[in-house]
Amino acid sequence: MARQPVVAGRAEQLLGSAVVATAPVAGGDIATAVKLRLSNGRTAFLKTLTAAPPHFFEREAAGLRWLAEATPDGGVATPEVLAVDHDVLILGWVESARPGAEAAGAFGRALAATHRSGADGFGAADDGYIGRLPLLNRALPTWAEFWAERRIAPYLKVLRDKDMVTAEDAATIEAAVAKGAEIVPQEPPARLHGDLWNGNVLWAGDDRVVVIDPAVYGGHREVDLAMLALFGLPQLPQVMAAYDEAAPLADGWEDRLGFHQLFPLLVHACLFGGQYAARAARVASRYV
């Protein structure tokens, strides 16, 4: 590991500890990521973004801390927040390991515990981000309303404005979402990670899983499970089985995964192209 003076100096300002060495970390598509070796022997992870949107890293840090409130009661582990400012976030380093069945089972049970810790309502006190896109979180009385108005409508509007979704596909998505109260069983709001895809699940040592990059809010617990299933996760059947054993899911949950995948598909359409909008419409057609 060499030492990048600018990055090291910024970390030292926030941590009050000398940075011995730095090394770039690959994988992120938004922020610049760097591994830090500190003079106190600790290793840390730094993310920085020039001209970050307002409160970008502060919201992420707050989300990690909110999830961590459930960890002592068996909830999912998160990296320790070491420092945060408008342009940077520094976390405790998580050493990766191979995915295993024991870790998968433990993760399923831990995710159930996090969800069970709950939220004050469907939404959150502050808006946040998913990727670099704004995430509207103002609470609404029911899950069906929140899903339609805070999770589907804003991104469908972006796609319409940019001519990235056909009128027919948009109508199909809206028709499915309008039936949300009939499709999704009522449950109390769960404490959601909110962006729980494979890349935000770190397999660590000691059969632990650590989650990163949350987009937290109170919502229906099937959302996190749908995200895990959307882009694939190692040991997914073991995770789902352990979750269902710890906190049994309502009948038909597997058939509802697609309904709860509409939101991340629309987000991906906004970020990466309209082909995801067409895919969302195909999924939505199952529920019309």
Coordinates of all heavy atoms in Angstrom, one line a residue, residues 2 19 33 35 45 55-56 62 73 75 119 127-128 136 138 146 156 161 173-174 186 209 211 244 250 254 282:
A2 N 0.6 2.2 -0.9 CA 1.2 3.5 -1.0 C 0.4 4.4 -0.1 O -0.4 4.0 0.7 CB 1.3 3.9 -2.4
V19 N -2.6 8.3 9.0 CA -2.8 7.2 8.0 C -1.4 6.8 7.4 O -0.7 7.6 6.9 CB -3.7 7.8 6.8 CG1 -3.8 6.8 5.7 CG2 -5.1 8.1 7.3
A33 N -13.5 4.9 -3.6 CA -13.3 4.1 -2.4 C -11.8 3.8 -2.2 O -11.1 3.5 -3.1 CB -14.1 2.8 -2.5
K35 N -9.0 2.0 0.8 CA -8.6 1.3 2.0 C -7.5 2.1 2.8 O -6.5 2.5 2.1 CB -8.1 -0.1 1.7 CG -7.8 -1.0 2.9 CD -7.4 -2.4 2.4 CE -7.2 -3.3 3.6 NZ -6.8 -4.7 3.1
F45 N -12.2 1.9 5.8 CA -12.7 2.1 4.5 C -13.2 3.5 4.3 O -14.1 3.9 5.1 CB -13.8 1.0 4.2 CG -14.5 1.2 2.9 CD1 -13.9 0.6 1.7 CD2 -15.7 1.8 2.7 CE1 -14.5 0.8 0.5 CE2 -16.4 1.9 1.5 CZ -15.8 1.4 0.4
H55 N -26.2 16.2 2.1 CA -26.4 15.2 3.1 C -26.3 13.7 2.6 O -26.8 12.8 3.2 CB -27.8 15.3 3.8 CG -28.1 16.7 4.3 ND1 -27.4 17.3 5.3 CD2 -29.0 17.6 3.8 CE1 -27.9 18.5 5.5 NE2 -28.9 18.7 4.6
F56 N -25.6 13.6 1.5 CA -25.4 12.3 0.9 C -24.8 11.2 1.8 O -25.4 10.2 2.1 CB -24.6 12.4 -0.4 CG -24.5 11.1 -1.2 CD1 -25.5 10.7 -2.0 CD2 -23.3 10.4 -1.2 CE1 -25.4 9.5 -2.8 CE2 -23.1 9.3 -2.0 CZ -24.2 8.8 -2.8
A62 N -26.4 7.7 8.9 CA -27.5 7.6 9.8 C -28.3 6.3 9.6 O -28.8 5.6 10.5 CB -28.5 8.8 9.6
D73 N -29.8 -7.1 19.5 CA -30.9 -8.1 19.6 C -30.9 -9.1 18.5 O -31.9 -9.8 18.3 CB -32.2 -7.3 19.6 CG -32.3 -6.4 20.8 OD1 -31.9 -6.7 21.9 OD2 -32.8 -5.2 20.6
G75 N -29.9 -8.6 15.2 CA -30.1 -8.0 13.9 C -28.8 -8.1 13.1 O -27.7 -8.4 13.6
A119 N -40.3 0.0 12.7 CA -40.2 1.5 12.4 C -41.4 2.2 12.9 O -42.4 1.6 13.1 CB -40.0 1.6 10.9
D127 N -35.7 12.3 3.9 CA -35.5 11.8 2.5 C -34.0 11.3 2.5 O -33.2 11.7 3.2 CB -35.7 12.8 1.5 CG -37.2 13.2 1.4 OD1 -38.1 12.4 1.8 OD2 -37.5 14.3 0.8
G128 N -33.8 10.4 1.5 CA -32.4 9.8 1.4 C -32.1 9.7 -0.1 O -32.5 10.5 -0.9
L136 N -37.6 9.6 -1.8 CA -38.6 10.3 -1.0 C -39.2 9.4 0.1 O -39.6 8.3 -0.2 CB -39.8 10.8 -1.9 CG -39.3 11.6 -3.1 CD1 -40.5 12.1 -3.9 CD2 -38.6 12.9 -2.6
R138 N -41.3 10.7 3.0 CA -42.3 11.2 3.8 C -43.4 10.1 4.0 O -43.9 9.5 3.1 CB -42.9 12.5 3.2 CG -44.0 13.2 4.1 CD -44.2 14.6 3.6 NE -44.7 14.6 2.3 CZ -45.9 14.5 1.9 NH1 -46.9 14.3 2.8 NH2 -46.2 14.6 0.6
F146 N -47.8 4.2 0.2 CA -46.4 4.6 0.2 C -45.7 4.0 -1.0 O -44.9 4.6 -1.7 CB -45.7 4.1 1.5 CG -44.3 4.5 1.6 CD1 -44.0 5.7 2.2 CD2 -43.3 3.7 1.2 CE1 -42.7 6.2 2.3 CE2 -41.9 4.1 1.3 CZ -41.6 5.3 1.8
L156 N -41.2 6.5 -12.3 CA -41.9 6.4 -13.5 C -42.0 7.8 -14.2 O -42.0 7.9 -15.4 CB -43.3 5.8 -13.2 CG -44.0 5.1 -14.3 CD1 -43.2 4.1 -15.0 CD2 -45.3 4.5 -13.8
D161 N -40.6 11.5 -18.5 CA -40.0 12.8 -18.9 C -38.8 12.6 -19.8 O -38.6 13.5 -20.7 CB -39.6 13.6 -17.7 CG -40.8 14.1 -16.8 OD1 -41.9 14.0 -17.3 OD2 -40.5 14.5 -15.7
I173 N -47.6 -0.9 -15.5 CA -47.0 -0.8 -14.1 C -47.9 -0.1 -13.2 O -48.1 -0.6 -12.1 CB -45.6 0.0 -14.2 CG1 -44.6 -0.8 -15.0 CG2 -45.1 0.3 -12.8 CD1 -43.4 -0.1 -15.5
E174 N -48.5 1.0 -13.6 CA -49.5 1.7 -12.8 C -50.7 0.8 -12.4 O -51.2 0.9 -11.3 CB -49.9 3.0 -13.4 CG -48.8 4.0 -13.5 CD -49.2 5.3 -14.2 OE1 -50.0 5.2 -15.2 OE2 -48.7 6.4 -13.9
Q186 N -51.4 -7.0 4.9 CA -51.0 -6.0 5.8 C -50.1 -6.5 6.9 O -50.4 -7.6 7.5 CB -52.3 -5.3 6.4 CG -53.2 -4.6 5.4 CD -54.3 -3.9 6.1 OE1 -54.2 -3.4 7.2 NE2 -55.4 -3.8 5.4
V209 N -22.4 -12.0 8.2 CA -22.7 -11.2 7.0 C -22.8 -9.7 7.5 O -23.5 -9.5 8.5 CB -24.0 -11.7 6.3 CG1 -24.4 -10.6 5.3 CG2 -23.7 -13.0 5.6
V211 N -23.9 -5.8 6.2 CA -24.6 -5.1 5.1 C -24.1 -3.6 5.1 O -23.8 -3.0 6.1 CB -26.1 -5.1 5.3 CG1 -26.6 -6.6 5.2 CG2 -26.6 -4.5 6.6
D244 N -37.6 -17.5 6.9 CA -39.0 -17.9 7.1 C -39.2 -18.8 8.3 O -40.2 -18.7 8.9 CB -39.4 -18.7 5.8 CG -40.9 -19.0 5.7 OD1 -41.6 -18.1 6.2 OD2 -41.2 -20.0 5.2
A250 N -46.1 -14.6 5.2 CA -47.5 -14.8 4.8 C -47.5 -15.7 3.5 O -46.6 -15.6 2.7 CB -48.2 -13.5 4.6
E254 N -43.6 -15.8 -2.1 CA -42.7 -16.0 -3.3 C -43.4 -15.4 -4.6 O -42.7 -14.9 -5.4 CB -42.4 -17.5 -3.5 CG -41.5 -18.0 -2.4 CD -41.4 -19.5 -2.4 OE1 -42.5 -20.2 -2.3 OE2 -40.3 -20.0 -2.6
R282 N -43.0 -6.2 -17.9 CA -43.3 -7.6 -18.0 C -43.6 -8.2 -16.6 O -44.5 -9.1 -16.5 CB -42.1 -8.3 -18.6 CG -41.9 -8.0 -20.1 CD -40.9 -8.9 -20.8 NE -39.6 -8.9 -20.2 CZ -38.6 -8.0 -20.6 NH1 -38.9 -7.1 -21.6 NH2 -37.5 -8.1 -20.1

